[in-house]
Amino acid sequence: MQGVQSFDSLYSHGFVRVAAAVPHLRPAEPAFNVERTLELAGRASENDAALVVFPELGLSAYAIDDLLHQHAVTDAVLEGLGQIVEASRELLPVVIVGAPLWAEGGLFNCAVVIHRGRVLGVTPKSYLPDYKEYYEERQFRAAREAIRDELTLLGQTVPFGANVLFAAADVPNFVIHAEVCEDVWTPIPPSSYGAMAGATVLANLSASNITIGKADFRRTLCMAQSARTISAYIYTAAGQGESTTDLAWDGQALICENGDLVTEAARFSAEEQVLYADIDLERIVSDRGMTNSYGDSILDQRERLKTFRTVKFDVSTGDTPQPLRRRIERFPYVPADPVTRSERCEEVYNIQVHGLETRLRATGIEKVVIGVSGGLDSTHALIVVARAMDRLGLPRANVLAYTMPGFATSDHTKGNAWKLMEALGVTAREIDIRPSALQMLEDLDHPYSDGEKQYDITFENVQAGERTSHLFRLANHLGGLVIGTGDLSELALGWATYGVGDQMSHYAVNASVPKSLIGFMLRWAIDTAQFSADVSAVLQSVLDTEISPELIPGDGDKPTADSESKVGPYELQDFFLFYILRFGYRPSKVAFLAEHAWGDVDRGPWSDLIPPDRRNAYSRAEIKHWLGVFLFRFFQLSQFKRTAIPNAPKVGSGGSLSPRGDWRAPSDASAQVWLDELRRNVPD
């Protein structure tokens, strides 16, 4: 990006800081209103905002009725507008203020867009409410009544109309469209066309008096418009100081992104407020690009969209570090809010159970075969299978569960496998795979068969293959369906044995569930008492056990290596997976986000935006290293395994690597372009 060099600046990674201001005002006192506007615009500038939006008719006040036709008032507004334009030369953000302006012999309710000493353009209100407490048609003309598409204002000729975009030349994808209050309440708001024409940030200057229940409706309306247009939506309404002759005002301000409420100001505040949000412009552009119906809508409206004009400007944010003021959750697949997290876990669990239930009904098969290691994934898969049997009205004895100890299986995990199978009441069996594995190693003339401690990939895969081979032949013999237990994280990293191994099954219940979420799922099952106390006790023991494939013998009862020492911390790899799979972000941005979420760094007054759990923290060097491991394994090493995965239910928007779903890629691609970007743009 032009003019920005610092890795530590949000503007280097596709973000833009925007602000919504709620100033105090006085009816028909433009001088006071201008003073308060400039004070809050200054605050926004000091906080590195690129845009600040003020309420509707904020320079005159909204609820002054026929005083709007008094030229003394509108002349004072013009004088104040000139002061704002002049003062904006020293301010960073684009400033959008609300003002009544005369044009073509009539008065228009306008959003005036100002930046660095010039008026970029003026957007008049398109829809004038004239019902209930509103009588705007008494004072104003609507945008459609304007004859010309330009306006002479303060000696400048500027674009005038609802079809004007304001695009930053030096901040990619930062394109603004403005509308005024009632516009968003209509069936097709002007901002819908603005978004289709290319605007990523939609600003609504509102007055909007408060009545019971209206705040909830406005919030829903803004979130829905943000979701529908795949955009950021900034809304700010009049607060303290508006006339209360017949109305009251709550100063509601909020900022949304892609349907999510990012932040909201306190309503009925006695203090003036400036609300900030760091908007992820690349997320918006990525989602629009992947949503073909969005493109189809643009095509359908192409004649109208061709009429839009674009005004360019330079934000000129500089190259100094500007830390991100946005909470980046450490576990993007897991909601931070406990209530939402519980709902999410229940939803995922039901999707998995329902998927298996439907598959069993469709095949007419009433038995399932599953390997149970005592580890995280097979434990979760087993409780999913047990619940599916309950829903089908079949006995849990129809779950044919096998624990299959190998050369490095610990007594602890095998003990947990047996305890869980017995507590759930499934049919439990044990098959020692060491004799058959040793026979294969002898057939291969592998050094281990001669007593050498050669623990290579063949040694590991022979064990994994023997387990899977037994499960499939048991399914043939007993009339069952083999249930896969491998998770999304393992598929992403290629941490699975291909073919006759844990990569294959008849139906895989965990394939779109990341390992970090599976851990939370087990905690949810315990907390909500989904099963008996005996089952919950085993689930807790599994959660407390180090993640390991248990394929290489060590000293005593402990295998030599855990999985995370080889492929990286799953909590970090799941973080990388989400942002690369869901949004296609470049590695440097993923590293920037990871450092914000997982880095053990001090962000001064904004440290409250860092997740509070510091038990695990990673340096930039560690993040860069493990991201490099992820990129190589994901893009270059493992795609052939994912191309051939069995059926599995998708559970989340960023969580499927099925070639029939979210992810289709060549098996022979190189990871070089991603690794080069990481090395080039992430400093050591």
Side-chain angles (χ1 to χ4, degrees):
M1 187 178 72
Q2 300 175 21
V4 174
Q5 306 298 327
S6 174
F7 174 80
D8 298 307
S9 172
L10 66 101
Y11 287 101
S12 297
H13 301 284
F15 288 93
V16 64
R17 181 164 298 151
V18 300
V22 185
H24 289 170
L25 54 77
R26 293 176 183 170
E29 289 192 36
F32 176 84
N33 300 336
V34 167
E35 175 192 325
R36 301 321 307 152
T37 296
L38 287 174
E39 168 65 24
L40 299 194
R43 289 189 205 173
S45 184
E46 291 170 0
N47 283 280
D48 299 316
L51 169 66
V52 58
V53 182
F54 288 85
E56 177 183 15
L57 296 176
L59 300 190
S60 61
Y62 175 84
I64 61 174
D65 299 316
D66 290 348
L67 298 187
L68 287 162
H69 280 165
Q70 292 293 312
H71 288 275
V73 173
T74 52
D75 287 350
V77 166
L78 272 180
E79 180 181 350
L81 198 58
Q83 295 172 19
I84 294 173
V85 172
E86 183 61 29
S88 72
R89 296 181 187 277
E90 306 300 323
L91 299 175
L92 172 66
V94 172
V95 180
I96 306 182
V97 297
L101 297 179
W102 288 95
E104 301 176 0
L107 196 63
F108 290 83
N109 182 345
C110 298
V112 185
V113 184
I114 302 165
H115 188 245
R116 298 291 173 84
R118 68 184 179 119
V119 176
L120 300 181
V122 176
T123 300
K125 192 172 184 175
S126 294
Y127 295 95
L128 304 177
D130 207 54
Y131 56 87
K132 296 183 179 178
E133 63 264 46
Y134 303 110
Y135 302 96
E136 286 192 35
E137 289 192 356
R138 179 182 176 95
Q139 282 87 34
F140 297 109
R141 293 182 184 176
R144 72 183 69 85
E145 298 179 66
I147 299 171
R148 300 173 183 83
D149 61 5
E150 290 183 330
L151 173 71
T152 300
L153 180 63
L154 301 174
Q156 302 179 53
T157 299
V158 301
F160 182 62
N163 60 347
V164 185
L165 304 179
F166 306 93
D170 59 342
V171 179
N173 306 315
F174 181 31
V175 185
I176 306 164
H177 179 271
E179 64 185 4
V180 184
C181 197
E182 182 77 8
D183 290 346
V184 76
W185 295 68
T186 60
I188 307 178
S191 59
S192 294
Y193 296 106
M196 286 188 285
T200 52
V201 178
L202 312 178
N204 186 297
L205 292 72
S206 180
S208 190
N209 64 297
I210 186 61
T211 55
I212 295 171
K214 193 173 184 181
D216 290 337
F217 191 88
R218 287 187 300 218
R219 186 181 304 110
T220 301
L221 196 64
C222 293
M223 292 170 67
Q225 183 64 357
S226 171
R228 186 178 296 109
T229 57
I230 313 180
S231 70
Y233 199 87
I234 307 170
Y235 178 93
T236 181
Q240 185 167 303
E242 277 284 2
S243 172
T244 56
T245 300
D246 290 301
L247 304 172
W249 315 87
D250 65 341
Q252 186 173 26
L254 50 88
I255 302 174
C256 306
E257 179 186 294
N258 288 30
D260 297 329
L261 180 63
V262 178
T263 186
E264 184 171 4
R267 297 168 53 231
F268 300 107
S269 174
E271 304 298 326
E272 294 179 309
Q273 298 185 78
V274 182
L275 189 68
Y276 300 98
D278 290 351
I279 297 301
D280 192 343
L281 297 174
E282 288 186 347
R283 177 191 177 196
I284 292 167
V285 172
S286 176
D287 274 358
R288 286 181 177 181
M290 289 188 289
T291 308
N292 69 294
S293 53
Y294 193 90
D296 291 342
S297 298
I298 293 173
L299 184 63
D300 289 344
Q301 302 297 328
R302 60 190 178 279
E303 293 306 318
R304 177 162 182 161
L305 300 182
K306 286 177 183 177
T307 69
F308 271 78
R309 298 159 285 164
T310 300
V311 180
K312 295 281 189 177
F313 65 94
D314 288 316
V315 178
S316 301
T317 58
D319 59 1
T320 57
Q322 291 153 329
L324 191 66
R325 292 188 196 172
R326 178 180 174 122
R327 182 177 291 279
I328 303 298
E329 298 299 342
R330 289 184 162 187
F331 300 98
Y333 290 102
V334 185
D337 175 64
V339 175
T340 307
R341 182 167 62 244
S342 179
E343 293 172 352
R344 177 73 55 82
C345 288
E346 183 176 12
E347 186 81 353
V348 171
Y349 183 63
N350 282 326
I351 291 171
Q352 292 179 278
V353 171
H354 182 73
L356 177 57
E357 180 186 351
T358 302
R359 177 55 55 91
L360 291 172
R361 280 201 176 101
T363 59
I365 296 173
E366 295 187 349
K367 294 179 181 179
V368 298
V369 176
I370 183 172
V372 183
S373 68
L376 205 64
D377 295 337
S378 65
T379 293
H380 179 62
L382 184 58
I383 64 174
V384 167
V385 168
R387 184 63 76 219
M389 287 296 170
D390 295 344
R391 287 173 58 108
L392 287 165
L394 296 172
R396 289 187 184 176
N398 284 21
V399 178
L400 311 178
Y402 292 83
T403 185
M404 293 177 282
F407 297 118
T409 301
S410 67
D411 291 339
H412 176 71
T413 54
K414 188 174 80 168
N416 276 340
W418 268 106
K419 290 174 185 176
L420 183 64
M421 293 186 295
E422 291 172 344
L424 286 170
V426 301
T427 299
R429 296 286 187 271
E430 180 175 321
I431 297 177
D432 187 341
I433 64 162
R434 286 174 293 183
S436 58
L438 186 59
Q439 179 63 56
M440 179 169 283
L441 290 168
E442 290 176 355
D443 294 342
L444 297 175
D445 197 21
H446 189 276
Y448 182 82
S449 63
D450 292 329
E452 295 184 30
K453 295 182 178 181
Q454 181 169 317
Y455 304 130
D456 54 12
I457 190 67
T458 302
F459 178 81
E460 295 185 51
N461 282 349
V462 161
Q463 295 174 76
E466 282 301 306
R467 290 187 174 113
T468 303
S469 179
H470 275 80
L471 292 174
F472 272 99
R473 301 297 74 80
L474 285 164
N476 293 152
H477 180 55
L478 301 172
L481 197 75
V482 177
I483 302 302
T485 63
D487 62 47
L488 180 70
S489 310
E490 294 174 341
L491 282 172
L493 295 163
W495 197 239
T497 301
Y498 183 73
V500 185
D502 52 317
Q503 178 258 354
M504 187 49 62
S505 64
H506 288 130
Y507 194 74
V509 293
N510 288 341
S512 68
V513 187
K515 197 174 291 289
S516 56
L517 179 55
I518 287 180
F520 281 97
M521 294 286 294
L522 294 186
R523 291 185 184 93
W524 167 80
I526 295 169
D527 293 342
T528 57
Q530 294 293 312
F531 296 93
S532 68
D534 289 345
V535 172
S536 291
V538 182
L539 299 185
Q540 186 59 57
S541 179
V542 171
L543 283 169
D544 295 337
T545 302
E546 188 175 58
I547 299 171
S548 171
E550 295 194 329
L551 295 172
I552 300 176
D555 295 329
D557 189 42
K558 186 175 176 61
T560 59
D562 63 284
S563 297
E564 293 176 299
S565 67
K566 293 187 176 181
V567 298
Y570 279 114
E571 59 191 9
L572 206 54
Q573 301 293 32
D574 284 354
F575 186 94
F576 300 153
L577 174 64
F578 178 82
Y579 286 104
I580 287 173
L581 176 63
R582 176 67 177 82
F583 300 115
Y585 288 163
R586 60 184 63 85
S588 58
K589 179 168 182 173
V590 176
F592 174 75
L593 295 174
E595 187 173 65
H596 183 77
W598 286 100
D600 190 9
V601 294
D602 181 13
R603 300 196 183 276
W606 307 109
S607 59
D608 62 315
L609 296 177
I610 306 298
D613 184 358
R614 295 286 183 135
R615 285 176 299 175
N616 292 331
Y618 300 96
S619 67
R620 180 178 295 177
E622 289 174 310
I623 289 170
K624 187 175 181 179
H625 168 73
W626 289 121
L627 180 52
V629 170
F630 176 88
L631 295 172
F632 176 74
R633 296 189 69 94
F634 183 77
F635 286 108
Q636 185 164 325
L637 187 66
S638 309
Q639 180 58 35
F640 76 98
K641 297 181 181 181
R642 297 188 289 267
T643 300
I645 61 174
N647 294 171
K650 177 181 175 180
V651 303
S653 60
S656 174
L657 290 172
S658 168
R660 301 168 295 277
D662 286 359
W663 185 250
R664 300 166 199 188
S667 296
D668 48 7
S670 167
Q672 198 60 48
V673 65
W674 290 273
L675 293 170
D676 287 347
E677 201 280 339
L678 176 71
R679 293 167 185 147
R680 183 174 60 249
N681 295 326
V682 180
D684 293 326

